[in-house]
């Protein structure tokens, strides 16, 4: 019997046994980081493509002219980007509530985790609702994949000094990239909301309380923070530059 035990111990300590987890990170969390890194490359390639077209063009739609209206109203704001500023605040605030959910999970505070997860889900839905309003407004203005407003109206959205001949081309490039990139990001937000709802159901069912760990909340939190961070870059490229 002692011989068998010593053989098992020998197998466990052999160099081929795998050793300690790299960086002392749980396997699922490490895989989440790998996924986020690969997703970052995808967003980076899209934003680089937008930047290359934007800065190689002789004229480009001006953000303070395209985004000066408040979707769903007849308000033409003298301070542009008010609506998208509200969108950004909502998403950042949802990231804060996710941090609080993770922190409550570390204390095994089930009720607090549930409430902060609910707040995060609400924030995600509010952001998606704002994005739907913005898309609907731009579509009513004539912007969509492969289409732009009539030339007379299109000229109102461009910076001074551009050539009329280029308005159609650059306007369409802007529309295609805007709806593709913000749509791709919106898909990530929607996916995050769905996952958060699933995690919330598990929290309420006491799944993680029984396990003695709310590590899944932390993993989903990493994804949600990534989505928020990507929006900062999307916001900068489309609305500020």
């Amino acid at each position: 019997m002692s011989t068998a035990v010593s053989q098992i111990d020998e197998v466990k300590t052999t160099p081929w046994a795998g050793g300690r987890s790299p960086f002392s990170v749980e396997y699922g969390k490490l895989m989440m980081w790998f996924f986020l890194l690969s997703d970052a490359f995808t967003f980076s390639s899209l934003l680089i493509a937008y930047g290359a077209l934007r800065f190689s063009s002789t004229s480009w739609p001006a953000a303070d002219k395209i985004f000066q209206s408040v979707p769903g109203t007849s308000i033409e704001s003298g301070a542009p980007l008010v609506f998208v500023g509200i969108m950004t605040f909502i998403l950042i605030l949802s990231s804060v509530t996710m941090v609080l959910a993770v922190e409550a999970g570390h204390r095994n505070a089930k009720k607090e985790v549930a409430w902060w997860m609910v707040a995060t889900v609400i924030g995600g839905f509010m952001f998606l609702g704002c994005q739907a309003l913005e898309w609907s407004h731009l579509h009513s203005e004539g912007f969509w994949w492969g289409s732009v407003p009539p030339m007379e109206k299109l000229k109102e959205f461009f910076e001074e000094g551009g050539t009329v001949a280029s308005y159609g081309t650059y306007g369409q490039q802007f529309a295609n990239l805007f709806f593709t990139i913000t749509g791709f990001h919106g898909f990530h937000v929607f996916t995050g909301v769905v996952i958060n709802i699933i995690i919330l159901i598990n929290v309420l069912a006491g799944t993680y309380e029984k396990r003695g760990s709310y590590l899944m909340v932390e993993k989903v939190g990493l994804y949600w923070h990534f989505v928020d961070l990507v929006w900062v870059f999307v916001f900068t490229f489309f609305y500020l530059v």
Side-chain angles (χ1 to χ4, degrees):
M1 181 70 176
S2 60
T3 304
V5 171
S6 63
Q7 288 177 347
I8 291 173
D9 291 339
E10 183 180 353
V11 171
K12 285 183 177 179
T13 56
T14 179
W16 300 101
R20 187 169 59 88
S21 172
F23 310 112
S24 297
V25 179
E26 189 265 343
Y27 176 79
K29 189 188 291 189
L30 189 62
M31 291 302 102
M32 176 61 80
W33 278 112
F34 281 139
F35 166 74
L36 296 180
L37 181 62
S38 65
D39 215 19
F41 289 144
T42 305
F43 275 106
S44 297
S45 63
L46 290 171
L47 291 173
I48 289 171
Y50 174 82
L53 289 172
R54 167 70 178 84
F55 293 109
S56 64
S57 65
T58 55
S59 60
W60 197 257
D64 59 347
K65 295 181 179 180
I66 290 180
F67 303 110
Q68 66 177 332
S69 302
V70 178
T73 72
S74 58
I75 298 174
E76 292 287 337
S77 174
L81 309 182
V82 171
F83 187 74
V84 72
I86 295 172
M87 288 174 58
T88 303
F89 175 76
I90 290 171
L91 197 60
I92 291 175
L93 191 60
S94 74
S95 192
V96 173
T97 58
M98 178 57 82
V99 168
L100 293 171
V102 172
E103 189 276 331
H106 289 160
R107 294 186 283 106
N108 290 319
K110 176 183 173 181
K111 288 185 178 179
E112 289 186 42
V113 174
W115 278 115
W116 290 124
M117 290 293 293
V118 168
T120 303
V121 169
I122 292 173
F125 275 126
M126 288 177 66
F127 177 85
L128 290 171
C130 290
Q131 190 169 58
L133 280 173
E134 184 180 54
W135 274 35
S136 176
H137 174 72
L138 289 175
H139 185 260
S140 68
E141 293 283 349
F143 288 101
W144 199 240
W145 276 288
S147 64
V148 292
M151 190 58 65
E152 287 303 315
K153 184 169 182 143
L154 183 61
K155 289 191 293 185
E156 299 175 3
F157 298 108
F158 273 79
E159 301 166 342
E160 299 294 333
T163 60
V164 176
S166 67
Y167 287 163
T169 300
Y170 294 133
Q172 190 166 320
Q173 288 177 351
F174 166 81
N176 289 343
L177 284 165
F178 175 82
F179 288 112
T180 298
I181 294 175
T182 59
F184 190 50
H185 177 266
F187 171 76
H188 278 70
V189 175
F190 176 76
T191 303
V193 169
V194 172
I195 295 173
N196 281 336
I197 291 174
I198 294 171
I199 297 300
L200 173 60
I201 292 172
N202 286 335
V203 169
L204 295 174
T207 302
Y208 308 124
E209 190 175 36
K210 293 172 184 175
R211 293 180 186 175
S213 171
Y214 284 82
L215 186 59
M216 279 300 300
V217 176
E218 188 172 351
K219 293 176 189 175
V220 174
L222 289 174
Y223 176 84
W224 194 255
H225 297 322
F226 170 78
V227 168
D228 289 2
L229 179 61
V230 167
W231 177 252
V232 172
F233 288 97
V234 174
F235 175 81
T236 302
F237 272 68
F238 279 104
Y239 299 93
L240 296 182
V241 177

